[in-house]
Amino acid sequence: TKYPRYVLIDASYFNHAFAWQQLGNAHKAKEYYSLLYNKFPQSEFAPDSLIALGEINFEGRDFKSAHKYLELIKNYPESRVYTFGLYK
């Protein structure tokens, strides 16, 4: 990362991942969503990353990984995506 101390680096990772996802590159999207979650588990974007990782893995028919990521949503009961993650 060129600017590792950038205060919004987590948002940057999320936007980068989302852009790759929209371009149809699931591999790169997973890379950046995972990077965000692993480096910034307390980020406001961490739960959204888990949802995205769950969705990408589900679409790739990797149901075990999808379930693993969606189960982690339980660690974020205050998140705006909490109920959606439980539903999935």
Side-chain angles (χ1 to χ4, degrees):
T1 303
K2 190 172 182 180
Y3 301 102
R5 295 181 192 194
Y6 178 54
V7 74
L8 297 175
I9 192 74
D10 58 338
S12 178
Y13 286 156
F14 184 81
N15 288 327
H16 208 79
F18 184 76
W20 280 117
Q21 187 177 5
Q22 294 302 301
L23 290 170
N25 190 328
H27 177 75
K28 287 298 259 186
K30 285 169 57 173
E31 179 183 330
Y32 280 94
Y33 284 131
S34 295
L35 183 63
L36 186 158
Y37 178 72
N38 291 322
K39 288 185 85 167
F40 304 100
Q42 299 306 315
S43 166
E44 67 179 294
F45 299 103
D48 297 86
S49 292
L50 293 172
I51 294 284
L53 286 163
E55 291 285 328
I56 291 169
N57 281 288
F58 186 86
E59 289 170 6
R61 304 189 62 75
D62 183 354
F63 303 120
K64 186 175 180 179
S65 292
H67 183 262
K68 176 186 77 168
Y69 287 117
L70 293 171
E71 278 291 304
L72 290 170
I73 289 296
K74 292 179 180 177
N75 296 327
Y76 299 91
E78 300 300 317
S79 168
R80 64 180 179 77
V81 297
Y82 178 73
T83 54
F84 181 72
L86 294 180
Y87 166 77
K88 290 302 248 177

